[in-house]
Amino acid sequence: MRSPGQRIHRNLSQGSAAVSTHDAHQARIDAPRVVRRTVIDFSSLSLPEEVRLALALAFWGHLGARSPRSIKSCWTWVLTFDRFASESGAVRSLADLERRMLLRYIEWLNARQRADGAPWAISTRSAAYSALRQLLHWLERCRPDLVSRIDYPFTPFPGRGSDRPPRATPTARELRAILRACEADIAAVRELRASAAAQRAADGDKPGSLGWLLVEVDRRFGGIVPSSLELQRCGNHPLQLAVRRWGGAKQIEPCLYPRAVSLLPYYLAILIHAAGNPEPIAELGRDCLQDVPLLENRQALVWFKARAGRVQRRSFERDAPFEPPALVRDLLSWNERLRPLAPPAQRDRLFIFKGLRTVNAMSTITVHHLLGEFCQRHGLASFSLASIRPSVLSSFYRASGDLLRTRAVANHARITTTVRYVETPIVQQQNHVRIAALQGAFIEHLAAPPAISPATSPAPVVAASPSSAAVPPGKTVSMFGFDCTDPLAGTAPGTRRGEICTNFMGCFTCPNAVIPPQPRTMARLLQARDHLRAAAMTLHPARWQAFYAPQLRILEEDILPRFSTREIAAAEPLVAQLPPLPDLR
């Protein structure tokens, strides 16, 4: 801890005196740099030189390895801070980077207005402030000789994101429809490539055939369909006729390498299965598959998320035809011949395609241009790439009910981030209904039921169909081996005579029931379903509708659909090994 009289040396290192003036100028941290046609020039800022150099050092030290989009976004907020410093005069030296300056910056952001006179959105103000705070955090951590510890304002922008409507996300049914459309396109591509390989093997020596054309393109042009200008040159007339005969370059190229529209279903399928962010999945490398130790039938899809600064992964079955490992292997063999033609910075990317004139790597901008035609061709509702990840995570959470498993699928470092993803309107509505039901049951349990004399006792109320007769009396079976003398006796707290007991078959109707996905537990559920179906043929219709039909509906419509077909198939052989259930009556 420094003494009160000690001063912090705030001057940035100027390097050795032996370094030439030219070399020192080239080494300056605030020198202009170009990121995707955007010039990031800290030397053009109106901030004091020592502040400008410190922010440039933090900017490139903290964001240098991130995606170009993140770098450009942060540079926008640096320009906003420069405008604040110029208008307010609150930043004259490094010593001014402290709490009072941050409070003035927050007030200045709150006073900003859009062109229509409305104030900036809370999320916009928060993003501008957070970008500056990240740079100051970096300086505190990595260069404490420049910036002393800062007491940051607590939650300066509460309610961030609450001032805009929630983003519409595809439902689980719409996600399955998107996956089916992707699988149909992928199957068509595989069939086309297999057919082309067969024709190449069978007709490679027959001039004018598709097989001969593909062989000639490989032999003379390195596997890339030549341009129309190249085909018009002397000696290429037979090849030109063959290209016209087989539909032109757009029809022939998918037999050799992918175009952008051909990569789209692969990208969307991997994006949905991985529940990843659009940009990191688009930037997948060609080494994105890793073996899982001790699990020979599984492979992990690995990608780097620049915004989080760490590697993320999910494992899948190695040989499943439409899961990421198989799709990645398809792409690796399909676009291998395009790698030497791609820009050096993109040669290790997975989603490489042949454009109109050049070879490029797929980006989210390319995908946005292709989504409309994809949705129209398959009759799908419009969706955005940013809505895929929240939709997958919320659907997984609704099916599993396990927030920790959802966090593992999302690769989140903090569970609070997962909560923000899964709190969609559908999940919130389900939570409100469940809480209301639990609160109602609790209140009914506490409140004593009013005394009802036999003379004024209401008519029995049964959950039967309108056409059914009165429920015949008699004992019933709870499916777990216990008899019930009369489930309509009204003995449970909060029920009246004539109402079905709230404890009857309670495990099926309890929202807090825990059903582990173990084969033996699944086998009991399948046995109960078959037993209830068989009882419908022998019981009185009114008793069936009142006591057992609701349980069968819960089993078939709510419980069993939450398990995968693989889990159900693994449990079916065990049903015959279970002891028989008691006869229903």
Side-chain angles (χ1 to χ4, degrees):
M1 186 173 181
R2 63 187 179 91
S3 62
Q6 180 181 355
R7 298 187 56 144
I8 297 178
H9 180 66
R10 299 183 183 273
N11 294 327
L12 291 171
S13 175
Q14 300 299 326
S16 173
V19 180
S20 66
T21 305
H22 176 74
D23 293 339
H25 177 73
Q26 293 296 324
R28 285 181 65 93
I29 192 65
D30 63 342
R33 305 189 193 184
V34 179
V35 178
R36 284 189 179 177
R37 294 180 292 183
T38 298
V39 178
I40 298 179
D41 184 7
F42 277 86
S43 63
S44 65
L45 302 181
S46 60
L47 292 166
E49 182 179 9
E50 60 177 1
V51 177
R52 188 174 69 241
L53 292 173
L55 290 182
L57 184 66
F59 185 92
W60 295 116
H62 182 60
L63 299 169
R66 296 197 177 185
S67 66
R69 182 176 179 181
S70 299
I71 295 175
K72 292 167 63 177
S73 175
C74 189
W75 173 245
T76 301
W77 302 128
V78 170
L79 294 178
T80 302
F81 177 69
D82 179 63
R83 179 183 168 193
F84 155 76
S86 176
E87 293 182 2
S88 64
V91 183
R92 295 185 176 87
S93 66
L94 284 172
D96 292 328
L97 298 180
E98 42 84 35
R99 178 182 176 87
R100 285 175 296 179
M101 184 276 297
L102 292 177
L103 291 175
R104 292 186 63 179
Y105 187 42
I106 293 170
E107 294 176 355
W108 184 85
L109 290 173
N110 288 332
R112 297 305 94 196
Q113 294 181 347
R114 299 196 297 257
D116 58 359
W120 282 8
I122 299 178
S123 57
T124 304
R125 287 174 268 162
S126 176
Y129 172 76
S130 298
L132 175 64
R133 186 179 60 184
Q134 288 180 5
L135 301 182
L136 296 179
H137 272 309
W138 190 93
L139 289 172
E140 286 182 282
R141 183 176 66 254
C142 301
R143 293 298 303 268
D145 58 317
L146 299 179
V147 174
S148 58
R149 186 174 180 84
I150 300 175
D151 182 17
Y152 294 93
F154 181 75
T155 315
F157 300 101
R160 181 184 60 180
S162 60
D163 56 343
R164 62 170 182 254
R167 177 185 294 157
T169 57
T171 63
R173 179 175 299 178
E174 291 172 340
L175 277 179
R176 286 192 290 268
I178 296 172
L179 269 179
R180 285 194 297 268
C182 293
E183 291 171 0
D185 285 355
I186 292 170
V189 167
R190 288 173 174 172
E191 183 179 356
L192 174 66
R193 294 181 63 203
S195 174
Q199 293 186 53
R200 179 183 299 195
D203 303 330
D205 56 349
K206 298 179 182 179
S209 65
L210 179 60
W212 174 83
L213 173 60
L214 298 178
V215 170
E216 287 296 301
V217 170
D218 269 342
R219 184 177 64 87
R220 298 176 53 188
F221 300 98
I224 306 298
V225 177
S227 64
S228 58
L229 183 62
E230 181 71 21
L231 288 173
Q232 292 173 6
R233 291 183 178 178
C234 181
N236 292 335
H237 185 65
L239 198 64
Q240 183 180 12
L241 294 178
V243 170
R244 292 178 180 174
R245 176 185 177 186
W246 294 103
K250 286 188 177 181
Q251 300 298 323
I252 299 170
E253 284 180 335
C255 299
L256 298 168
Y257 46 80
R259 299 178 66 89
V261 68
S262 307
L263 286 184
L264 180 62
Y266 285 87
Y267 170 77
L268 292 178
I270 294 176
L271 179 66
I272 293 175
H273 281 294
N277 297 91
E279 284 197 357
I281 296 299
E283 296 171 358
L284 276 174
R286 302 182 74 81
D287 58 348
C288 60
L289 289 183
Q290 294 182 359
D291 292 331
V292 180
L294 304 180
L295 295 176
E296 296 181 355
N297 63 329
R298 297 189 70 82
Q299 279 187 307
L301 182 74
V302 181
W303 66 95
F304 179 73
K305 184 177 178 181
R307 188 174 62 187
R310 61 192 183 96
V311 173
Q312 302 190 336
R313 58 176 54 84
R314 281 205 68 193
S315 66
F316 304 91
E317 286 195 15
R318 178 188 295 267
D319 299 323
F322 295 107
E323 290 199 3
L327 303 181
V328 169
R329 289 194 295 270
D330 280 354
L331 295 176
L332 290 176
S333 62
W334 195 13
N335 60 16
E336 178 63 28
R337 70 185 69 208
L338 297 179
R339 289 188 67 191
L341 304 177
Q346 299 178 352
R347 288 176 185 172
D348 291 330
R349 297 269 287 272
L350 176 65
F351 294 101
I352 299 176
F353 67 94
K354 174 68 166 60
L356 187 61
R357 295 182 179 86
T358 59
V359 174
N360 295 304
M362 177 170 280
S363 67
T364 54
I365 297 176
T366 308
V367 176
H368 281 300
H369 290 321
L370 300 172
L371 271 184
E373 190 272 336
F374 176 82
C375 293
Q376 184 177 4
R377 177 157 46 90
H378 291 284
L380 301 172
S382 298
F383 63 94
S384 64
L385 292 180
S387 67
I388 293 292
R389 178 171 165 88
S391 178
V392 173
L393 296 180
S394 63
S395 298
F396 183 87
Y397 174 67
R398 290 171 56 199
S400 66
D402 191 335
L403 199 57
L404 293 177
R405 289 178 62 190
T406 309
R407 172 191 174 186
V409 171
N411 284 277
H412 283 152
R414 294 178 295 182
I415 200 167
T416 53
T417 308
T418 310
V419 172
R420 290 201 301 269
Y421 269 89
V422 302
E423 279 189 337
T424 59
I426 297 178
V427 172
Q428 290 177 350
Q429 181 181 4
Q430 289 183 345
N431 291 341
H432 292 162
V433 171
R434 178 172 294 183
I435 292 172
L438 292 174
Q439 289 176 337
F442 181 70
I443 293 174
E444 288 181 1
H445 179 74
L446 293 179
I452 302 176
S453 61
T456 61
S457 178
V461 179
V462 295
S465 59
S467 59
S468 64
V471 179
K475 293 184 178 180
T476 55
V477 177
S478 69
M479 285 292 297
F480 298 99
F482 300 101
D483 289 345
C484 179
T485 303
D486 186 3
L488 300 177
T491 57
T495 60
R496 298 177 298 178
R497 183 171 183 80
E499 296 178 346
I500 190 168
C501 177
T502 56
N503 296 326
F504 183 71
M505 302 282 281
C507 292
F508 283 116
T509 58
C510 177
N512 293 322
V514 178
I515 305 175
Q518 300 173 354
R520 194 164 185 84
T521 304
M522 291 293 304
R524 292 194 188 97
L525 294 178
L526 296 177
Q527 184 190 33
R529 180 198 64 186
D530 298 339
H531 199 58
L532 288 169
R533 288 176 177 175
M537 307 301 295
T538 59
L539 290 180
H540 189 284
R543 290 178 63 81
W544 162 257
Q545 288 290 338
F547 301 129
Y548 302 116
Q551 322 307 329
L552 180 60
R553 283 196 297 271
I554 293 174
L555 262 176
E556 293 182 331
E557 299 176 7
D558 186 38
I559 296 179
L560 290 177
R562 295 172 182 262
F563 299 93
S564 66
T565 56
R566 188 181 310 143
E567 292 171 330
I568 294 176
E572 286 177 346
L574 303 178
V575 175
Q577 304 175 14
L578 298 176
L581 293 173
D583 294 334
L584 302 183
R585 55 184 182 269

